[in-house]
Amino acid sequence: MKSWCPVLESIKNSQGFQKSYAWLDERFQLSPLVAFAAKKKVPMHAHSVWYYMGGVAFMLIAIQVITGILLSIYYIPELGSANASILKLTTKVEFGWFIRSLHSWAANLLIGVVFLHMFSAYFMKAYRPPREITWWTGLILLVLMMGFGFTGYLLPWDEVSFFATKIGLDIAGKTPFIGEFLANILRGGPQISQATISRFFTIHVFVLPLGLMALLGGHLWLVQSLGMSEPESFKKLPAEKKKYEDFFPTFVLKDVMVWLLFFNLLAAFATLAPWSLGSEADPFAAAPDGIKPEWYFLAMFQFLKLMPSTIGPIEGEMVGMAFFALIALILALVPLWDKGHSAKLSAWATRFGVIVILGFVTFTLWGAWS
Ligand code: HEM
């Protein structure tokens, strides 16, 4: 294939490149991969912009890995030292504040981008066969992302993070059947203590990253082997009206440009609004007013606040958690009930998605302002 760029073309034709490629090809069998990438096409339509979101999430994960490794050089997961180690990192270590700010802002941006990616895949009906497993690995990735956020939030051990984690664990404890068991395992006892910091740290830096590597590997492999899905409106077009672009290099280069855009946004947030650190948590002090969890748990938190203390014989919050579990189950099973054979079910899936988004946005804003 002739390259679109004369500089790339001359590099490709140079003896050095040809020799190095032949050496690598013999050892790593690259030719089938290169042939695959050269053949892969990306559909071009009004909603193509959403195809970039998965890539942006991937770039943000890379930033989390790099900044997380740097933070772990200074962080001490111990009761008397956790808060002080972050204070030292942000005030004494050169650019420590920036690395921490990047890590915290990127965590939030990442969860926002993953939500956008999930709902765009949902409304493009990209979960339909044969992409059920792409959808399911994606959903577990979302849970992992929220797990990273929840466990990371406690680590600086300041007042807000301590009490927000306490509320979070109390809420998790209300999940029917498994809640109490799960909250106890995470807490390492009846109260948040040294055991909780140790467990959250281990989960945050070992358990979740291992799960992430396995699932992300599977997710990306499926995305590459199945190719991009095409929305219904695109599929219906006559062949001559369907436009595609090359995955490599055109789409990949555009991907990198979108990454740069998001990286600039992230760097602007991290520099102009450096992530703050509150005073060291005192587990025996009263909870300050207005403690709230991170924004991605706020809708749940606000909804549960509205529940009466009991509904019949059952605790109100437990009914609320069962309701969330039901929504998650309907979302998880969507590839099984909307396979694209029934226009009625397809319309129901769209309506359900709109209701979930409206509910999520309304309760999040309500929680933020109340
Ligand atoms: C850690 C987070 C995630 C990363 C890094 C990631 C990465 C990607 C990438 C790079 C793509 C291909 C480009 C694109 O369509 O955007 C993709 C496709 C896809 N992802 Fe994800 N993803 C993540 C989470 C999720 C979640 C939470 C879901 C849904 C529950 C999901 C479902 C899908 C589906 C169905 C596709 C196929 C889209 C298509 O063929 O049009 N992903 N993902």
Side-chain angles (χ1 to χ4, degrees):
M1 185 180 58
K2 201 168 158 50
S3 169
W4 49 274
C5 167
V7 181
L8 282 184
E9 188 65 25
S10 70
I11 294 177
K12 223 171 92 182
N13 292 332
S14 67
Q15 242 196 4
F17 180 85
Q18 296 284 344
K19 270 191 174 165
S20 318
Y21 180 77
W23 191 90
L24 289 168
D25 190 24
E26 201 181 344
R27 276 142 196 93
F28 295 103
Q29 298 294 306
L30 295 178
S31 292
L33 290 177
V34 173
F36 176 75
K39 262 200 307 199
K40 194 179 164 187
K41 303 273 181 217
V42 179
M44 292 173 82
H45 48 77
H47 312 292
S48 298
V49 64
W50 299 111
Y51 289 141
Y52 295 103
M53 289 302 128
V56 173
F58 181 70
M59 181 275 286
L60 289 169
I61 287 179
I63 289 182
Q64 289 309 77
V65 173
I66 297 166
T67 51
I69 291 174
L70 293 175
L71 291 177
S72 70
I73 297 174
Y74 292 94
Y75 178 70
I76 305 172
E78 268 179 25
L79 261 191
S81 314
N83 188 265
S85 67
I86 300 282
L87 187 64
K88 182 176 162 198
L89 169 85
T90 45
T91 53
K92 302 256 161 54
V93 178
E94 280 204 63
F95 287 101
W97 65 273
F98 183 57
I99 298 296
R100 172 168 184 249
S101 201
L102 277 181
H103 195 75
S104 307
W105 275 110
N108 285 279
L109 199 57
L110 173 59
I111 293 184
V113 166
V114 172
F115 273 128
L116 285 180
H117 172 55
M118 172 176 135
F119 281 110
S120 58
Y122 184 87
F123 289 115
M124 281 202 254
K125 313 272 178 191
Y127 49 75
R128 284 179 179 165
R131 294 187 177 74
E132 303 94 322
I133 300 176
T134 318
W135 178 253
W136 291 326
T137 49
L139 270 186
I140 306 174
L141 280 169
L142 176 67
V143 174
L144 289 190
M145 293 298 117
M146 293 173 97
F148 270 113
F150 186 61
T151 50
Y153 199 56
L154 176 72
L155 299 181
W157 197 254
D158 62 13
E159 240 184 5
V160 178
S161 74
F162 175 84
F163 285 105
T165 305
K166 196 167 178 322
I167 296 173
L169 284 172
D170 288 345
I171 291 178
K174 303 286 186 226
T175 312
F177 309 115
I178 53 162
E180 231 179 275
F181 171 75
L182 192 72
N184 269 324
I185 293 267
L186 288 173
R187 218 187 273 115
Q191 303 295 338
I192 297 185
S193 63
Q194 173 61 53
T196 325
I197 300 191
S198 302
R199 285 168 191 226
F200 272 42
F201 181 67
T202 306
I203 294 172
H204 193 78
V205 305
F206 296 115
V207 181
L208 292 174
L210 274 177
L212 174 76
M213 273 197 286
L215 278 157
L216 193 54
H219 193 74
L220 296 181
W221 181 66
L222 286 171
V223 168
Q224 290 308 320
S225 54
L226 294 172
M228 300 303 199
S229 70
E230 298 179 355
E232 288 305 309
S233 53
F234 184 86
K235 270 190 209 156
K236 282 185 206 140
L237 291 175
E240 68 278 7
K241 288 236 164 120
K242 285 184 180 175
K243 281 210 247 158
Y244 293 88
E245 62 187 349
D246 292 334
F247 174 72
F248 190 82
T250 317
F251 185 78
V252 172
L253 283 176
K254 286 185 182 175
D255 238 349
V256 173
M257 280 194 272
V258 178
W259 292 4
L260 285 178
L261 209 73
F262 273 81
F263 184 71
N264 276 291
L265 188 72
L266 170 66
F269 277 127
T271 329
L272 301 176
W275 207 258
S276 64
L277 176 70
S279 50
E280 187 171 8
D282 174 3
F284 300 107
D289 285 340
I291 288 282
K292 288 171 191 169
E294 286 278 75
W295 65 270
Y296 38 90
F297 292 121
L298 212 50
M300 221 171 175
F301 175 70
Q302 183 63 21
F303 184 85
L304 291 176
K305 265 199 339 202
L306 302 176
M307 299 301 284
S309 61
T310 53
I311 297 179
I314 307 172
E315 221 179 312
E317 286 187 340
M318 212 172 247
V319 176
M321 290 304 279
F323 174 68
F324 291 126
L326 182 68
I327 294 178
L329 191 69
I330 297 175
L331 275 181
L333 296 184
V334 69
L336 302 182
W337 59 269
D338 174 24
K339 294 182 180 208
H341 305 317
S342 151
K344 243 187 186 168
L345 285 175
S346 174
W348 271 111
T350 306
R351 271 182 225 129
F352 181 72
V354 171
I355 293 170
V356 170
I357 291 194
L358 286 179
F360 182 78
V361 173
T362 311
F363 279 94
T364 304
L365 293 178
W366 189 354
W369 267 284
S370 61

